[in-house]
């Protein structure tokens, strides 16, 4: 063992080699009998990126004429934030209907209500409402992306809309 440490002392980048040994042998050995072997933050293999779902979706907002609106500059929110809020509203609606139906299979009127709530949330939290003055309404669109038969298929549908005063 002392021969090993002598070798380590002669190597350049001692800290680098120490970390390599730590991550390759010590951490896996210490976490072998845990619920998630090898998981020891920040030394993690991040399994959430190991596979992809065959279907996903994103949302975007337009005016009443279906002209795209830039969510970040206009509403001060990222599109991913809007999707998360919409997803939460759909989950709430799903629970209210017994939780047995998929979010995508909720009736259109339920999805429209969730979309209207999200659009109102966007308006209520806007830093500056003046850029919306020319618009008469807002629409929330959902784009489903599905990977089937070796091809990516995309469908867009209007989820809901609200009128602006």
């Amino acid at each position: 063992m002392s021969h090993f440490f002598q070798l380590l002392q002669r190597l350049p980048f001692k800290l680098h080699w120490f970390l390599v040994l730590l991550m390759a042998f010590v951490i896996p050995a210490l976490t072998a009998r845990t619920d998630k072997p090898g998981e020891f933050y920040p030394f993690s293999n991040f399994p959430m990126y190991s596979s992809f779902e065959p279907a996903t979706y994103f949302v975007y907002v337009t005016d009443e004429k279906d002209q795209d609106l830039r969510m970040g500059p206009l509403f001060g929110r990222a599109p991913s934030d809007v999707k998360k809020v919409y997803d939460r509203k759909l989950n709430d609606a799903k629970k209210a209907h017994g939780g047995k139906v998929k979010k995508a299979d909720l009736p259109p009127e339920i999805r429209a209500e969730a979309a209207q709530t999200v659009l109102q949330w966007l308006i209520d939290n806007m830093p500056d409402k003046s850029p919306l003055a020319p618009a008469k309404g807002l629409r929330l669109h959902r784009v489903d992306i599905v990977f089937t038969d070796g091809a990516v298929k995309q469908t867009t549908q209007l989820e809901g809309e609200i009128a602006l005063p």
Side-chain angles (χ1 to χ4, degrees), residues 7-165:
L7 176 66
L8 191 61
Q9 286 178 341
R10 282 188 261 139
L11 283 174
F13 309 108
K14 292 175 185 83
L15 179 61
H16 168 79
W17 288 110
F18 171 75
L19 291 175
V20 167
L21 292 173
L22 180 73
M23 289 187 279
F25 299 108
V26 177
I27 291 174
L30 292 175
T31 61
R33 291 196 171 99
T34 62
D35 290 338
K36 294 181 178 180
E39 288 291 323
F40 185 75
Y41 180 82
F43 308 107
S44 173
N45 62 0
F46 299 103
M48 69 276 240
Y49 298 118
S50 64
S51 64
F52 296 99
E53 296 292 321
T56 189
Y57 76 94
F58 66 89
V59 296
Y60 67 96
V61 177
T62 65
D63 63 10
E64 77 284 355
K65 298 175 187 167
D66 287 333
Q67 298 297 311
D68 290 340
L69 300 175
R70 296 178 57 207
M71 285 193 253
L74 186 60
F75 300 109
R77 301 286 176 180
S80 60
D81 294 337
V82 177
K83 179 187 175 188
K84 288 174 191 170
V85 172
Y86 181 60
D87 221 26
R88 231 176 286 129
K89 298 298 177 189
L90 290 177
N91 279 332
D92 293 345
K94 180 180 167 182
K95 287 177 189 171
H97 286 79
K100 298 192 191 282
V101 65
K102 292 180 181 178
K103 290 183 286 190
D105 295 335
L106 285 168
E109 59 273 5
I110 302 291
R111 291 195 327 265
E113 186 179 315
Q116 290 166 352
T117 305
V118 171
L119 291 169
Q120 189 60 54
W121 169 80
L122 276 174
I123 293 168
D124 292 344
N125 292 292
M126 280 182 75
D128 178 17
K129 293 179 181 40
S130 61
L132 278 184
K136 292 182 176 32
L138 295 179
R139 293 178 172 174
L140 184 77
H141 300 267
R142 175 185 173 129
V143 179
D144 291 302
I145 301 170
V146 181
F147 183 73
T148 55
D149 301 327
V152 176
K153 296 177 184 171
Q154 179 176 317
T155 56
T156 304
Q157 58 189 6
L158 175 64
E159 289 293 290
E161 58 187 315
I162 61 171
L164 294 174

